Amino acid sequence: MAEKKGHFEKGKWLEDEEISEDAAPGQGTDEDNGNIEDFDEKVAELKSSISKNLTDLFGVGKALITTEKGREHLAKKVKKAEEKIDKTIEDIAEGFEKALKK
């Protein structure tokens, strides 16, 4: 019986997949990775998407800081966070008190 090549990963034996002899070392086949044109197109789409998302993010950040409604919104979020922190501290203190009484 022939042994298959592989390696251990996180305590499990994983068999190494055979690389096609037609594929150059370090490269997959077009079937696995798509052709170069598809890859270039996907990279261009990704760059565009990231750029748009950053523009949106900065726009929202600017609106939150520079407008009255934005500052009010932030103040409400901060107040809610403070209330949650206070509640958590109270719950921890109650837990300690109960534990000490036991």
Side-chain angles (χ1 to χ4, degrees):
M1 188 190 284
E3 292 182 23
K4 293 193 175 190
K5 293 184 179 181
H7 63 280
F8 280 101
E9 188 173 308
K10 297 181 181 179
K12 291 185 179 181
W13 180 257
L14 301 176
E15 294 180 357
D16 292 338
E17 294 183 23
E18 297 274 332
I19 297 177
S20 168
E21 292 180 19
D22 297 336
Q27 296 180 348
T29 63
D30 282 348
E31 295 160 355
D32 294 335
N33 300 321
N35 60 40
I36 297 299
E37 291 79 21
D38 288 345
F39 182 75
D40 289 341
E41 184 178 319
K42 288 180 182 184
V43 169
E45 288 173 7
L46 178 62
K47 286 180 181 179
S48 175
S49 176
I50 290 171
S51 177
K52 182 189 179 317
N53 287 325
L54 287 174
T55 300
D56 292 347
L57 175 67
F58 292 135
V60 169
K62 182 179 177 184
L64 285 171
I65 295 169
T66 62
T67 66
E68 186 64 33
K69 284 188 178 186
R71 289 189 295 272
E72 288 173 7
H73 179 76
L74 285 175
K76 287 178 186 177
K77 293 292 185 180
V78 168
K79 183 154 180 60
K80 281 185 181 180
E82 288 173 346
E83 291 169 357
K84 286 181 181 180
I85 290 170
D86 287 344
K87 174 77 170 109
T88 301
I89 292 170
E90 289 173 12
D91 290 347
I92 291 170
E94 285 179 18
F96 281 135
E97 287 177 17
K98 288 179 183 178
L100 290 173
K101 289 180 181 178
K102 287 184 181 181

